[in-house]
Structure formats: C-alpha cells, structure tokens
Amino acid sequence: MEKVPKADEVRGKEGEVLMSDLKSIIQTKFTNEPFSGNGALQAFSQKGIELFNEQGIPTSKHEEWKYTRIGSVLNKEFSYAGGATAVTAKDVDAFRLPGNENANELVFVNGIYHAELSTIRSSADELVLMPLSEAVTTAYKPVIDKHLGHSANYHTDGINALNNAFAYQGLFIAVKKNMAVQHPLYCYYINDARTVNVLSQPRTLIHVGVNAEVFLVEEEVTLGASDSFINRVSEIVVEENANVHIYKIQNEDSHSSCVKTTHVRQVGVSRVNSVTITLNGGMIRNNLNVILEAPGCESNMYGLYCVKGNTHIDNHTIVDNVMPNSLSNELYKGIIDENATGVFNGKIFVRKDAQKTNAYQSNKNVLLSDAATVNTKPQLEIFADDVKCSHGCTVGRLDEEALFYLKARGIGDKEAKALLLHAFAGEILDKIELPSIRQYADAIISERLGFEL
Amino acid sequence: MLSIKNLHARIEEKEILKGINLNIKPGEVHAIMGPNGSGKSTLASVLAGRSDYEVTGGEAEFLEKDLLELSPEDRAREGLFLAFQYPIEIPGVSTTNFIKTAVNEIRKYRGEEPMDAVQFLKKMKEKMKLVEIDQSLLSRSLNEGFSGGEKKRNEIFQMAMLEPKLAILDETDSGLDIDALRIVAEGVNKLRDGKRSFLVITHYQRLLEYIVPDFVHVLYKGKIVKSGGKELALELEEKGYDFIKEELGEAIEA
C-alpha cells in the first residue's frame, strides 16, 4: 500500500521547491546587476551574495522565522532597478511627515539614497552624508571596517546576507562629535512600484559621535499598486554620552512588505530610545537589536502595533548586555483586529561580565476579533549571577468592568472601546519626544480607533 | 420615576432577586438595607444594566420607559446614575476628558449641542466646589491611585456633573472614614433639589444619619420584606438584622 504523506510533509516539500525557485530568481537578477564601482566594498558584498546562495530566503523551518513566512510575499517577479526612476519632489510631498519644514529629509528611492530629492538643513559641521563606498576611502574607514555588517552576527539568515550583497550602494551618515542635531533626520524609503514589483535593499551605517544627539524618524512608502518589498538594514554606532532617538512609522498598503533590521551598538555610555508604531502593511518584520557594549548604558525600546485586515506584524528584538550596570526597558503593546496577526519575540542576553544588569521586558496585547492572533515569546539567556531581569506578556480582550463603568456614564459602546484602546496606546505614544511626530502618531492611531475628543 | 414590579434576576444559575417591588417618586430618597448577600448590589447592577445578570422575570419602568430594554449607556442618558461600590481605575484616561465625553454623549442623546471648553470648565469649577474635590485629582487618570475616599468623592462629583434624575448609591459608605463619609453625604445632600430621586443602598445605618431617607426598605433573600420610614433604620441598628430574620424567617422559608 502506498504511504499517504501527512499534510505537514506535503507543505514542507512544496515550500522547499518554492524557496529554491525564489533563490534562483534572485540569483539570476543579481548577476545582472552592475557590480562595477563597488570598489572597496566589493569583498563585503561578495561575501553577502555567497552567504545568500548558501542560505536562501528563510523559511518557517528557521526558528527565527517560524511565524513569518516571507517566502509567501517574495515569491514573485521583482524588479531590482536602482534609484533611477521618475520619482519627483511632488511625489515626495504626498507623504512628508509633519515637522518636515525643520527636518533634514533623506529620500531613498528603490533602496538608493537620492541626493536631489533630499533636503539637508544641518551644516557639514553637524552632519556628514556620503556613499558608504566613498566613506570607506576616508578617515571613517576604521568605523566602517569595525561596524559594517555587525548585525550579521545576530542574524545569520539569507535575508540579512542579501542586504549585505547590496551594501556597496549604501549610505554612510555621521553625526559629529558634540553636535546636538537641530534638525531631525526624516528618512523616507520609497519603492516606486507604479509599473513593476520592486524589491529594494536600503543600507545605512550611522555613526553618532561623542556627546551628540540625534532624532531619526523613518517611514517606508510605496508608490503605485504593484508589490513592494523593502529589505532594509540600518546599523547605528553610538559613542560615549550620545543620545539617539529612533522613531518608525509604519503605515503602508497591504501590498507592501518589509524586513527592517535596526542594529544599534552602544559602544560608549549612552542612551537610546526607540519607538516603533505600526498601523498598516502586508508582512512586516522588524528586527531591533541593541548591543550594550559599555558599562552603564540605557536603552528603551517601545512598540505599538495597531493592525487589522490581513496585516502581519512581527517584532523581533534582541537586547545584548555585554558590560555591567546597564539598564534596558522594553514595552511593546498590540491591538489586533480582523484577521491580522502579531508576533513578538524578545531576546535578552546577559553576558557573564554584565553584572548588575537591569533588563525589563513586557508585551501586552488586546485582541479585538476572534480571528486575530498573536504569538509572543520572551527568551532570556543569562550568564551573570547578579542581575535583575523580568519579562511578561498578556493577551486578552478589553476589560469588561472598565467598559461597563464608561457605559454607565452614558458613553456609547464604540466610544467607550475607543477611549480604552486609546488609553492603552497612549502609554507608548507618550514616549515620542518630537511633538510633531507624537501628534501625528496620535492622530493616525486615534483615527484607526475611532477616538475623538 | 421608577417603578419595579416583581423583579427576578440571577447570575449564572443562582437566583438572587426573587420578586422585588419598589416605587420611587420624584424627589424621594429611598434607602435599601439588608444583610450581606441579600441582593442589594445585585439590584443596583440590574438597574444599571450590568450584563452579568440575567433578568428572569418582572418589569422595571423608568420615566415611562421600559428600563430593562435599554442599554447601560441609554439608561445613563435617560437620567439614571449608579455610584459604584468599587469605582474602576482606568489608567491613561484623564478624569476630566472622561467626564467631558460623558457629558457630551448625554447631551447628544438629548439633541443638545456639545458643551464648549469654557462652559464645561465653568461647570466643573462649580461642581468641584460643591463636592469639595480638588483639581489635581481630576487631571489624573481616572481613579488611578485614588484613595477609597477620593474614589467615592469622584463618583459624587460625576453625579453632580451629569445631573441625573435618579441616582443609585451602591454602598457608597463602604470603606470610608467618618470625615470622608460626611463630605460625600454633604455632596449628595446638596444635590437633593426636591425633584431628583435617590436610592441609597447601605449595610449600615450610619450613612442614613447624614443622608436622611424618606423610606427605608429591608432586603432579605432577594425580596423586600419590610418597609417603613427613617425610624426603621434606627430599629435595625439597635436590634440587628436578626430581628428581621426572626420576624420573617418562617414566612420566607415557606
């Protein structure tokens, strides 16, 4: 009698075929890319493509990709066209974030920094921007040698390797020593999908000098109705006594997906605050890594995902405490409606020298529909013995007692729910220190929740 | 104002109200007393529309409307107010914004324009004075970290702001020291205007020294077993609930 394969095996086999097809599609495309001029970064990019060839696109068999099957959105013809598209300043106007008139606006088109569309208001004393391939021939070479590609130590998958392959097109940003950058950096990552599907690979390395402070505000944008996938890696080096604020606003259409890796190395005693707000998109994977490499660092990582439709939002965070006396605080909150799915995976390492570490983590979710799901997983790996670590997660519905209390005062069902959800979200919104961005985030969240005051 | 006839209600499988009859006219203050577990708070919850309770029989008419058919929010909009025994803490919702939302939702229901910020603040100030509540409390999150007394005072403040036609006070005296009790009671008394009615639910006679009722009812095992004037409360205080049990025990068992 013929053996009937189990459903799992069938799926596994189909998945493999799919993935290998995808790998060969990307390889074929990649060999057609003009590699000339990548000069000093050639070896780095070459290593990236080799690793990608070995690993391919991660499947759900990969532990870190168990719930996020990016193969399902990458399995189509994508164009790899670079920055030479017909995007105009007028196109950019449609999605500039509030406060832009005082911001440095950095525009990336199909993964590549576009100087003509960008507006740099800071002086060269404060802020330096240049292609990575150029920076590597300047005094910044040691910084690049030391830090470019450090995220690959934490993400050993093909998708990170694929971005490495495109690093020769990347941008280097330096915030100079002692500079509090007066103008925040608004970074728009645009995929021009008006005629074809676009897969882009933006890459940045940001060096924040001693005593410097900078606000980074990041937004992904897709033009047009074709599919868009952004595979972005941003590596940030934070020197002694620097302050870095990273805000992400994710509010795209359902045909736009992304893997976004933000990898922060706090190499001196410094502070980092990150707030990630997610409203819309197809499949969204955020990797946020904070490596606390100096004693006494502080990192705060906040996230709010308020999703519906078929949006899939996956926040993977890594906090790596290397040296003693550091503090990390992590709070991610989710409001999940309709068929949307959420994933939270929070990993905390405390290395053996990282005594007196304080590391806190919390993930709270409210599910608004029967079909909404969330997978939440804390992972603590502690090798020091004198540390304070806590983690917790909740998944639930709105508090019925609180709802009744509001209704008993004459507030309708819809308004009462909106009031409670807005309060739930407010804890994260309050962490945004740029008023114009805070107000904007509050406005789009309030609109989603039907909250008015 | 409120007319309750033969009201039965249960929670899950347990029948708690077993035929309540009660009539409250405009301007009257009724007190409901009774031992623990007699159904006092259940009556308050059923009237306010808490969904855990299922009404299994009888009727309740409020201002000529079928109260039991109305949603909790519509009951409030029609002019019914419940001062909670255990007010809920809601982090992230400022007390002021909450009350403003409530006031304007009720106005909308009645076809009135929403109050503007100036009118609202003026009214707030006036009512704050009335119930002796401090501004600092109202700018905090709703009931979050409030003491027991502050929570109850906030309930009375909300009542003052919403100006209900009938206010149900569910064991408002529980957990209050004598000073807090006096302040809360004085707030209530200032809202007695000859038209507004009150249903005061309490375990102890103490509260009724401050809020003097027109009628006192004794609730026992889900029924009102005795009604009288304010002197009935004193009698209960003196003799305890046992005298009711002795007087009526057999009749109820039967």
Side-chain angles (χ1 to χ4, degrees), chain A residues 399-413 415 419-420 422-424 452-453, chain B residues 49-50 72-73 76-77 81-82 84 90-93 97-98 101-102 105-106 143 155 158 162:
Chain A
D399 180 355
E400 288 294 331
E401 286 292 310
L403 265 182
F404 178 68
Y405 189 72
L406 298 178
K407 288 181 190 178
R409 296 295 175 257
I411 300 173
D413 184 66
E415 288 77 12
L419 205 61
L420 291 180
H422 186 264
F424 179 80
E452 303 169 50
L453 201 70
Chain B
R50 195 187 281 274
E73 55 269 35
R77 292 161 179 173
F81 182 91
L82 171 65
F84 281 60
I90 309 185
V93 174
N97 288 344
F98 155 70
T101 307
E105 285 260 305
I106 291 172
N143 292 325
E155 294 292 289
Q158 291 172 35
L162 299 180

Side-chain angles (χ1 to χ4, degrees), chain A residues 207-227:
Chain A
H207 182 255
V208 184
V210 174
N211 293 330
E213 176 160 28
V214 65
F215 284 85
L216 298 168
V217 183
E218 304 172 340
E219 186 185 41
E220 272 75 21
V221 179
T222 298
L223 299 178
S226 296
D227 282 355

Side-chain angles (χ1 to χ4, degrees), chain A residues 212-241:
Chain A
E213 176 160 28
V214 65
F215 284 85
L216 298 168
V217 183
E218 304 172 340
E219 186 185 41
E220 272 75 21
V221 179
T222 298
L223 299 178
S226 296
D227 282 355
S228 160
F229 195 102
I230 298 180
N231 177 31
R232 177 157 78 83
V233 175
S234 183
E235 291 171 323
I236 304 173
V237 183
V238 188
E239 299 283 356
E240 182 86 15
N241 204 30

Side-chain angles (χ1 to χ4, degrees), chain A residues 415, chain B residues 77 103-114:
Chain A
E415 288 77 12
Chain B
R77 292 161 179 173
V103 165
N104 283 334
E105 285 260 305
I106 291 172
R107 291 178 71 89
K108 193 166 83 186
Y109 180 79
R110 294 175 185 165
E112 296 163 6
E113 287 294 308

Side-chain angles (χ1 to χ4, degrees), chain A residues 191-310:
Chain A
N191 267 10
D192 184 0
R194 285 178 290 198
T195 53
V196 288
N197 298 334
V198 173
L199 168 60
S200 66
Q201 314 275 348
R203 179 67 173 239
T204 52
L205 176 62
I206 304 174
H207 182 255
V208 184
V210 174
N211 293 330
E213 176 160 28
V214 65
F215 284 85
L216 298 168
V217 183
E218 304 172 340
E219 186 185 41
E220 272 75 21
V221 179
T222 298
L223 299 178
S226 296
D227 282 355
S228 160
F229 195 102
I230 298 180
N231 177 31
R232 177 157 78 83
V233 175
S234 183
E235 291 171 323
I236 304 173
V237 183
V238 188
E239 299 283 356
E240 182 86 15
N241 204 30
N243 275 304
V244 179
H245 311 264
I246 308 164
Y247 305 141
K248 295 188 180 76
I249 307 281
Q250 305 183 312
N251 192 13
E252 284 227 78
D253 292 325
S254 57
H255 57 90
S256 304
S257 295
C258 61
V259 175
K260 239 169 284 182
T261 300
T262 302
H263 182 81
V264 185
R265 296 183 76 178
Q266 293 182 253
V267 297
V269 184
S270 53
R271 277 170 304 280
V272 171
N273 289 302
S274 165
V275 185
T276 303
I277 308 283
T278 309
L279 267 105
N280 283 313
M283 187 170 286
I284 303 164
R285 165 67 170 255
N286 296 317
N287 294 318
L288 175 60
N289 310 336
V290 180
I291 323 300
L292 300 94
E293 297 181 42
C297 285
E298 183 184 327
S299 309
N300 298 296
M301 308 155 85
Y302 303 105
L304 171 66
Y305 40 101
C306 182
V307 288
K308 61 174 189 175
N310 291 306

